[in-house]
Amino acid sequence: MSRTTAPQRLVALGADGADILYQLGVWPQVVGVTAFYRPPFGVEAKPRVSGFSSGNLEAILRLEPDLVITSTDVQHQLASDLIKAGVTVWAINSRSLEEIYDAIRNLGQIVRRGDRAEEVVAQMERALQPVHVNGAHRPKVYFEEWPEPLIAGIGWVSELIERAGGTDIFSELRKEKKAAARTVAPEEVVARAPEIIFASWCGKPVQMTDIISRPGWDKIPAVRAGHLIEIPSDDILQAGPGLVRGYDILKREIVRLAKPSPQARHNSRVARTPRKRVSSPAPMTTPDLSDPKFFINRELSWLAFNRRVLEEAQDPTQPLLERVRFLGIVTSNLDEFFEVRVAGLKQQIEHESDDAGPDGMSARQTFDAIRQDVLKMIGDQYDLWNDELLPALEKHGVHLHDFKTLNKHDQTWATHYFREEVFPVLTPLAVDASHPFPQLQNKSHNLFLRLKKSDRPTEALHAVVAIPRVLPRLVRIPHPKTNEWHYILIQNLIQNHIQDLFPGLEVEQVYGFRITRNSDLYIDEEEAENLLRTIEDELRKRARGNAVRLEVEHGCPPDMRRVLLDIFKLGEDDVYLVNGPLNFLHLMPLASIDALASLRDKPYVPITSHALPAGCDYFKIIRQKDVLLHHPYQSFSSVVEFLDHAASDPAVLAIKMTLYRTSGDSPIVHSLIHAAEQGKQVTVLVELRARFDEANNILWARQLEEAGVHVVYGLVGLKTHCKLLMVVRRDDDRLRHYLHLGTGNYHPSTARFYTDLSLFTSNHELGEEVGMLFNTLTGLSEFDGVKQLLVAPFQMHDKFMKLIQNERDLALKGKEGRIIVKLNSLVEESLIVALYEASQAGVKIDLIVRGICCLRPGVKGVSENIRVISIVGRFLEHSRIFYFGNNGNPKVYLGSADWMPRNLFRRVEVVFPVLDPGLRKRITDVIIPGYLADCGKARVLGPDGVYKRAVCAPGQEPTQAQHHFRNLARKAASLRVESKTEKLPLVVKKPPTNQTTRLPYVK
């Protein structure tokens, strides 16, 4: 190699060297790399010629390199052999961040890319900026680089831990050059009590079970709290630009545990100068906004939401069958709550975790409070059913019978039905020493029996009969009167014929029961070679996870309950007695009786948008203007037709889409398959981990792959929850991106009863940013930042914090500060604190939160300027809207993300701006006021955590937002028909309200 010319044949024997060469832009000159380096998706792969410490000398020499780059001292023998063979070798042996920067600069000079090297270093320095902790508690961190013997993190890892806001418990080893010098004793780790453990075993999969099972390690706070995180070696042990990814993980996890220390809180109270408020005098002392008294417990807030659903069933103004439907929804919601949330709490209790949430409640305290709430809720459910709904159904000709109360003719029919249709599929299962208790599936319907033999009358025998899911839960008994409907529950039918299954035995007692199991999936994506197959395996395990709840028919004696509890390893506080149907979902067929349509809500047919009439040229319209749809008031069929149109259009070159949930026999999937068959480039990101839709998504993923669609599964460790559709089309003038961005899933069925917003646009900047995001999701490229979109987990949280802080700053300057946010859930602590600070500054804040809200509004000196409402009605409120007043130049965003840690830090979410002034005005002048004016279905959250019905303002007619939006859609459709024009007035007359179009605070 000449000293005056750049090397032309490069070999990188370490992942750090290979990554630096790629970032420097000399990848075409690379002819060989280590097996540990994975180039970005779509980048040409190079021959692999080395491992971690060794390499194939002959293979390297055959490549005729003019420069070989080695990494770390463990490759010294290979470097020596290459030098002896006459090859020029340059070694990277960095131990600190500064040495890494120097290596990049030096290698840049060697390959004649000095300027580019300075850019790479500058980018790293910006990305690795220290977290400003401002006196916050710095969690103690242990980083494990190797398990046998234990080796603590290399120097740069220790530096990154400190920059991320943590305290490296072995920081004194930071300057040690050799790994052997960083060996630590297991007992020393226990003694230093880390609060977080990060592990990255040099490319070897980390076995968390090995870590937590080490002697004495169960006493480590990190182990007790479950704060163990694996970081891919590529992201943390590469001495190169890839460290940015590892630093993001360190920062995210450490910041979550970093809270202000008592001394810092005291100092802030002493040092802070009271600020002048716009709306109220400044308090003498500034309250500690992280005080648990300012936060509502997440789980109890969710139960309060389910209580609001139950109130819809209790509402006598609701149609009768809708009340029955809401009763079933309460049960379905509780099932999932126990399967996931209560299951997690029980695990924390089992591991004696002392990790309390922002509200200060421990796992045990939360579990005990949940039980009291659920006992009351279940009691109210069954009182409502037995005392109101069942008698009301009977008045309308719907009868639910006990077998014993049937007349002789109906009993004969029911017995015949049992013997012909039911008996053949039942299996009696004895429970004794030779017959272990059967493995019952999650939420299966079962009967538990006590039997005895005539020759051994004092010996108690037990058996189980599982009611197969192939049997209908509600059996209709034929009746001559056409205006009457007579039913019997399958459980009751079997109970009254149970003796037929046990000839020679006497059935003493029989009771129905249902077991709920832990249904969270446990997936190690780093170790899983095939994510789809791994999730399939986990789905099979889900049905047999650990039991978390036992529901038993009322009247079951304590000794029989004790047998079941012992079998399922549950306690008395896990059992719930039910005085009626074991599962109200079994009654849902009643809500579908055609002849009783008058007892249901009148059907609502979504209106086709005037902007996108059936059969229109979607691309022409979207080129001319952005289009906003409000579902389900405006039909989701426009989205389906747009995709179908794109699939058939010969000018369309590519379609890219995210699929989180979709319907059975989905037209969306059929259109994607059709597009692939037409030769278009179709890429679909299917989220296999969409909870309780995993099996459905696996089915669609396989069908799409078989049709030639490129199916990918997103980023490791992150659920992809954003709703994106991009169509690339060759128009007459240029290649153009057409986008559909939404707040809801591409699910035509749920789109009929979920409220969501859809935006169609061909905006060039948005198109470029969405395209870049798809490249990040489908390839291995890093997220490079965007200006318009808010994207989690990269910068969404920080952007929202800045938007809130901007409103706060405006209020402190005497200007109007205004925030309106519509969400499903509000949980994330730092955003809640930011809202409190904005309220203290005088910002008027309205929060429309359907479900969980951990913020406590109306607290004097903290949140008296915050109002929280929840709307529960016929449609499920699902749209997310973010409004920031910005001193009269409002910023409006829509998107898929709630303000929860999982959405902001553990999912890929997208929130997008509404850039078109007309559409922005429609949101600010019509949609948001429609929600804020609701005094029919809205409940207002008080500072005590209790929700109460909203009260209409003086002179205001009782108004429901959902009724209002339906009327707007119908009126728009009638105006279009009458005027025979497709132009719809932007602002339709709003319901009576005391609000102006500038959206002032609503008292």
Side-chain angles (χ1 to χ4, degrees):
M1 179 184 69
S2 168
R3 293 185 180 182
T4 59
T5 60
Q8 297 301 307
R9 298 185 65 80
L10 301 166
V11 172
L13 302 184
D16 43 11
D19 196 27
I20 293 171
L21 292 174
Y22 173 75
Q23 296 293 338
L24 292 177
V26 294
W27 192 249
Q29 286 78 51
V30 176
V31 295
V33 295
T34 172
F36 284 91
Y37 182 67
R38 296 176 298 175
F41 179 78
V43 175
E44 177 190 5
K46 304 293 183 177
R48 297 181 175 184
V49 293
S50 69
F52 180 67
S53 60
S54 61
N56 187 327
L57 182 62
E58 292 183 1
I60 295 171
L61 294 176
R62 281 198 299 270
L63 295 173
E64 299 180 355
D66 47 16
L67 178 65
V68 173
I69 302 154
T70 64
S71 299
T72 76
D73 55 348
V74 297
Q75 292 184 342
H76 68 276
Q77 185 58 56
L78 181 57
S80 176
D81 293 341
L82 287 166
I83 293 171
K84 290 177 182 179
V87 176
T88 301
V89 175
W90 190 79
I92 298 176
N93 199 20
S94 306
R95 292 293 184 270
S96 67
L97 289 177
E98 197 56 45
E99 290 176 358
I100 292 172
Y101 297 154
D102 287 342
I104 295 172
R105 291 187 179 104
N106 291 335
L107 189 51
Q109 292 297 327
I110 292 172
V111 299
R112 303 296 188 268
R113 292 290 194 276
D115 291 344
R116 175 57 187 158
E118 291 297 338
E119 292 176 3
V120 172
V121 171
Q123 289 171 357
M124 286 188 66
E125 288 177 330
R126 286 195 297 271
L128 302 180
Q129 284 292 314
V131 172
H132 297 291
V133 293
N134 294 328
H137 165 65
R138 301 179 72 99
K140 293 191 290 184
V141 178
Y142 167 57
F143 185 94
E144 185 168 292
E145 189 175 308
W146 193 252
E148 296 176 359
L150 300 188
I151 298 178
I154 197 168
W156 71 70
V157 172
S158 180
E159 289 182 69
L160 292 177
I161 289 171
E162 301 287 340
R163 288 181 176 225
T167 300
D168 179 13
I169 64 172
F170 291 110
S171 59
E172 72 273 13
L173 304 178
R174 182 182 302 171
K175 295 184 179 180
E176 297 293 343
K177 297 293 185 182
K178 292 185 176 293
R182 290 184 273 112
T183 302
V184 298
E187 299 79 14
E188 187 62 22
V189 180
V190 176
R192 300 197 185 193
E195 297 163 81
I196 310 178
I197 294 176
F198 294 100
S200 188
W201 290 353
C202 298
K204 174 183 175 182
V206 174
Q207 302 296 328
M208 292 298 181
T209 54
D210 293 352
I211 294 176
I212 64 178
S213 63
R214 292 169 184 164
W217 281 45
D218 57 335
K219 298 181 178 65
I220 295 176
V223 175
R224 295 176 63 185
H227 296 150
L228 292 85
I229 300 97
E230 179 179 3
I231 303 181
S233 298
D234 290 353
D235 297 345
I236 197 67
L237 296 180
Q238 268 191 36
L243 287 178
V244 171
R245 299 189 297 271
Y247 181 62
D248 286 343
I249 298 173
L250 289 172
K251 185 168 58 175
R252 182 179 70 226
E253 299 299 332
I254 290 173
V255 168
R256 288 173 59 194
L257 289 189
K259 295 182 179 180
S261 63
Q263 183 61 43
R265 293 172 183 169
H266 172 74
N267 292 343
S268 69
R269 288 194 292 269
V270 172
R272 188 179 299 163
T273 302
R275 292 185 295 225
K276 183 180 180 181
R277 309 290 179 186
V278 173
S279 60
S280 60
M284 294 301 293
T285 59
T286 303
D288 176 8
L289 298 181
S290 64
D291 192 315
K293 69 183 180 183
F294 297 136
F295 294 85
I296 298 172
N297 180 271
R298 171 195 166 129
E299 317 306 342
L300 300 184
S301 181
W302 183 91
L303 286 172
F305 159 68
N306 210 37
R307 166 64 67 177
R308 298 193 290 279
V309 178
L310 179 57
E311 288 174 0
E312 293 299 301
Q314 294 170 322
D315 185 354
T317 66
Q318 288 270 24
L320 178 58
L321 295 183
E322 298 301 330
R323 299 177 71 186
V324 174
R325 184 174 64 87
F326 275 113
L327 202 64
I329 293 172
V330 171
T331 295
S332 176
N333 289 347
L334 276 176
D335 284 351
E336 183 172 339
F337 180 67
F338 274 89
E339 288 175 282
V340 179
R341 301 305 305 177
V342 175
L345 283 172
K346 288 177 70 68
Q347 287 178 325
Q348 291 183 49
I349 294 169
E350 182 181 344
H351 292 107
E352 299 180 350
S353 170
D354 57 359
D355 186 24
D359 59 282
M361 293 180 68
S362 68
R364 168 50 69 180
Q365 291 171 327
T366 302
F367 179 85
D368 292 342
I370 286 172
R371 176 163 176 80
Q372 296 307 310
D373 272 16
V374 173
L375 284 172
K376 178 69 166 61
M377 189 178 297
I378 291 175
D380 291 345
Q381 256 191 301
Y382 284 91
D383 287 347
L384 175 65
W385 170 251
N386 293 315
D387 299 341
E388 289 189 45
L389 300 186
L390 187 58
L393 286 168
E394 290 175 349
K395 289 181 180 179
H396 288 89
V398 180
H399 304 273
L400 193 62
H401 296 280
D402 183 322
F403 178 83
K404 295 182 177 65
T405 64
L406 292 173
N407 60 41
K408 187 172 182 179
H409 175 272
D410 289 343
Q411 282 191 345
T412 300
W413 181 92
T415 297
H416 177 77
Y417 179 87
F418 170 81
R419 290 175 177 164
E420 293 294 321
E421 302 291 336
V422 180
F423 181 84
V425 298
L426 297 179
T427 302
L429 300 168
V431 180
D432 56 29
S434 60
H435 299 86
F437 197 87
Q439 182 67 51
L440 301 177
Q441 287 196 333
N442 181 36
K443 296 186 292 188
S444 59
H445 199 155
N446 311 280
L447 299 174
F448 188 51
L449 299 87
R450 178 151 50 201
L451 312 159
K452 70 177 182 181
K453 292 184 177 180
S454 56
D455 56 342
R456 288 182 286 178
T458 60
E459 180 182 357
L461 305 174
H462 295 99
V464 169
V465 175
I467 302 177
R469 289 177 173 166
V470 296
L471 294 176
R473 272 24 189 176
L474 202 58
V475 179
R476 185 176 179 184
I477 301 170
H479 199 272
K481 293 184 178 180
T482 57
N483 61 344
E484 291 188 10
W485 298 265
H486 295 261
Y487 295 92
I488 184 172
L489 286 166
I490 193 70
Q491 174 187 322
N492 185 270
L493 180 63
I494 296 172
Q495 282 176 309
N496 281 277
H497 295 84
I498 199 71
Q499 188 66 62
D500 293 6
L501 290 165
F502 298 93
L505 297 172
E506 180 184 346
V507 177
E508 287 192 317
Q509 292 174 304
V510 54
Y511 296 95
F513 75 94
R514 197 168 75 119
I515 198 74
T516 308
R517 298 184 180 276
N518 184 335
S519 296
D520 239 359
L521 301 185
Y522 300 94
I523 300 165
D524 184 351
E525 295 182 47
E526 285 292 321
E527 191 171 351
E529 294 182 5
N530 186 313
L531 182 60
L532 186 146
R533 190 173 300 124
T534 300
I535 292 179
E536 284 185 313
D537 292 341
E538 285 297 318
L539 286 174
R540 285 189 282 271
K541 296 176 186 176
R542 171 188 276 174
R544 298 173 175 82
N546 292 334
V548 297
R549 175 181 62 164
L550 174 66
E551 295 171 282
V552 186
E553 192 177 354
H554 185 77
C556 181
D559 59 328
M560 289 184 71
R561 295 204 307 265
R562 186 71 259 167
V563 172
L564 288 172
L565 291 173
D566 289 344
I567 288 169
F568 293 115
K569 299 179 181 178
L570 294 173
E572 287 291 345
D573 53 3
D574 297 312
V575 65
Y576 294 87
L577 302 179
V578 298
N579 186 24
L582 198 58
N583 185 347
F584 281 113
L585 289 172
H586 296 168
L587 303 176
M588 295 303 271
L590 298 179
S592 302
I593 299 174
D594 291 338
L596 296 178
S598 62
L599 301 181
R600 293 194 298 270
D601 282 329
K602 293 181 180 179
Y604 175 74
V605 179
I607 305 300
T608 300
S609 169
H610 72 286
L612 295 171
C616 69
D617 185 339
Y618 284 88
F619 298 115
K620 179 180 178 181
I621 292 173
I622 298 170
R623 272 197 307 274
Q624 295 171 347
K625 61 179 180 179
D626 291 357
V627 176
L628 182 72
L629 302 182
H630 195 185
H631 309 299
Y633 316 107
Q634 293 175 298
S635 177
F636 187 78
S637 64
S638 297
V639 180
V640 177
E641 290 175 8
F642 169 69
L643 181 58
D644 187 59
H645 193 77
S648 302
D649 189 333
V652 169
L653 306 179
I655 299 174
K656 298 185 179 184
M657 187 176 192
T658 60
L659 272 183
Y660 190 75
R661 302 184 196 275
T662 191
S663 58
D665 194 28
S666 169
I668 297 287
V669 173
H670 291 319
S671 292
L672 292 169
I673 291 173
H674 177 61
E677 291 171 345
Q678 296 298 307
K680 304 183 191 308
Q681 181 81 6
V682 182
T683 304
V684 179
L685 195 148
V686 178
E687 180 48 72
L688 296 181
R689 295 154 298 179
R691 184 174 286 148
F692 302 115
D693 266 337
E694 298 93 344
N696 191 43
N697 287 4
I698 286 173
L699 173 65
W700 291 131
R702 287 208 164 113
Q703 288 193 9
L704 289 166
E705 284 179 329
E706 290 171 1
V709 174
H710 297 292
V711 178
V712 293
Y713 305 125
L715 301 178
V716 172
L718 300 172
K719 277 188 180 181
T720 303
H721 189 247
C722 52
K723 325 300 181 185
L724 307 175
L725 168 59
M726 181 175 76
V727 175
V728 181
R729 187 175 190 269
R730 186 177 298 283
D731 292 335
D732 293 338
D733 55 341
R734 64 180 176 87
L735 213 64
R736 185 174 274 106
H737 297 82
Y738 293 86
L739 305 178
H740 172 267
L741 309 174
T743 67
N745 298 306
Y746 291 103
H747 197 305
S749 297
T750 60
R752 297 181 66 85
F753 54 89
Y754 279 32
T755 73
D756 276 302
L757 290 161
S758 284
L759 177 69
F760 290 96
T761 181
S762 61
N763 180 276
H764 180 68
E765 191 172 7
L766 287 178
E768 285 193 335
E769 292 189 2
V770 170
M772 185 278 292
L773 180 58
F774 269 114
N775 290 341
T776 300
L777 295 176
T778 60
L780 296 175
S781 57
E782 296 182 15
F783 181 75
D784 198 31
V786 290
K787 294 182 179 179
Q788 296 289 354
L789 300 178
L790 280 61
V791 184
F794 306 109
Q795 37 75 299
M796 180 182 291
H797 174 267
D798 292 344
K799 288 289 186 76
F800 275 132
M801 289 289 285
K802 290 177 181 177
L803 288 165
I804 296 171
Q805 289 163 2
N806 179 61
E807 297 302 314
R808 169 180 166 272
D809 293 342
L810 287 170
L812 289 173
K813 294 175 183 177
K815 300 177 182 179
E816 182 183 15
R818 191 72 170 100
I819 298 173
I820 306 171
V821 175
K822 182 177 183 291
L823 297 161
N824 294 344
S825 298
L826 171 56
V827 176
E828 207 281 319
E829 183 179 358
S830 64
L831 286 171
I832 292 175
V833 170
L835 290 170
Y836 285 156
E837 291 175 341
S839 171
Q840 289 177 322
V843 179
K844 303 301 182 182
I845 302 171
D846 274 293
L847 304 175
I848 308 163
V849 186
R850 184 197 77 211
I852 304 167
C853 181
C854 296
L855 178 146
R856 195 179 293 276
V859 178
K860 187 175 181 181
V862 175
S863 58
E864 68 264 52
N865 288 318
I866 303 177
R867 178 179 186 253
V868 178
I869 66 171
S870 171
I871 296 175
V872 177
R874 172 178 178 176
F875 301 132
L876 182 77
E877 290 297 335
H878 193 254
S879 57
R880 287 88 163 183
I881 305 172
F882 308 91
Y883 171 94
F884 301 92
N886 197 34
N887 197 31
N889 184 25
K891 294 184 178 182
V892 178
Y893 296 87
L894 309 173
S896 61
D898 289 312
W899 281 359
M900 303 179 73
R902 71 183 187 191
N903 299 93
L904 297 166
F905 305 119
R906 299 192 295 277
R907 288 182 173 183
V908 178
E909 302 274 14
V910 171
V911 168
F912 51 93
V914 180
L915 301 175
D916 181 274
L919 298 185
R920 192 162 57 236
K921 186 174 177 64
R922 177 181 168 193
I923 293 171
T924 60
D925 289 9
V926 178
I927 295 177
I928 291 178
Y931 281 118
L932 295 180
D934 191 308
C935 56
K937 291 297 184 182
R939 280 84 164 176
V940 181
L941 176 61
D944 56 357
V946 176
Y947 286 83
K948 296 180 180 178
R949 291 274 186 178
V951 178
C952 296
Q956 179 186 358
E957 294 291 331
T959 303
Q960 293 185 26
Q962 294 184 0
H963 285 176
H964 170 56
F965 294 135
R966 275 182 281 171
N967 291 336
L968 282 182
R970 290 191 182 106
K971 185 173 183 179
S974 64
L975 286 174
R976 185 173 74 249
V977 171
E978 292 169 7
S979 62
K980 296 183 180 181
T981 177
E982 295 183 1
K983 185 174 182 181
L984 172 68
L986 182 64
V987 179
V988 186
K989 184 179 178 181
K990 299 188 289 291
T993 174
N994 62 340
Q995 301 162 356
T996 69
T997 57
R998 288 206 64 188
L999 306 178
Y1001 179 56
V1002 180
K1003 292 291 185 185

